[in-house]
């Protein structure tokens, strides 16, 4: 859930889940792993939502980031 639960987008009715899976290959934490792939997936989903709404992805993001000056500055 790293990077997705803290997403700055004002999206109502969000749900975050995680599942612990036992794997044969042991894994350990790697700095920013969740933030890197979850950010990519989240922004891909935002693009798809904008397309479904018939909206420009940039303008759609601007609306979802209303009131978040720092994030808007990065987007712009």
């Amino acid at each position: 859930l790293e990077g997705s639960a803290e997403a700055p987008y004002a999206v109502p009715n969000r749900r975050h889940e995680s599942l612990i899976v036992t794997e044969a290959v042991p894994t350990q934490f790697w700095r920013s792993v969740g933030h890197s792939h979850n950010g990519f997936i989240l922004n891909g989903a935002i693009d798809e939502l904008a397309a479904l709404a018939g909206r420009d992805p940039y303008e759609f993001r601007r609306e979802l980031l209303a009131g978040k000056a720092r994030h808007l500055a990065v987007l712009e």
Side-chain angles (χ1 to χ4, degrees), residues 28-29 36 42-43:
Q28 296 293 320
F29 287 103
S36 57
L42 172 65
N43 281 284

Side-chain angles (χ1 to χ4, degrees), residues 23-38:
E23 294 288 333
V25 178
T27 59
Q28 296 293 320
F29 287 103
W30 179 32
R31 185 176 176 185
S32 99
V33 168
H35 291 279
S36 57
H37 66 260
N38 285 335

Side-chain angles (χ1 to χ4, degrees), residues 11-57:
V11 177
N13 303 319
R14 294 190 306 185
R15 185 170 100 186
H16 302 271
E17 295 182 13
S18 67
L19 177 65
I20 297 175
V21 178
T22 304
E23 294 288 333
V25 178
T27 59
Q28 296 293 320
F29 287 103
W30 179 32
R31 185 176 176 185
S32 99
V33 168
H35 291 279
S36 57
H37 66 260
N38 285 335
F40 178 79
I41 292 167
L42 172 65
N43 281 284
I46 295 293
D47 283 340
E48 290 185 26
L49 291 171
L52 287 171
R55 305 273 310 278
D56 174 69

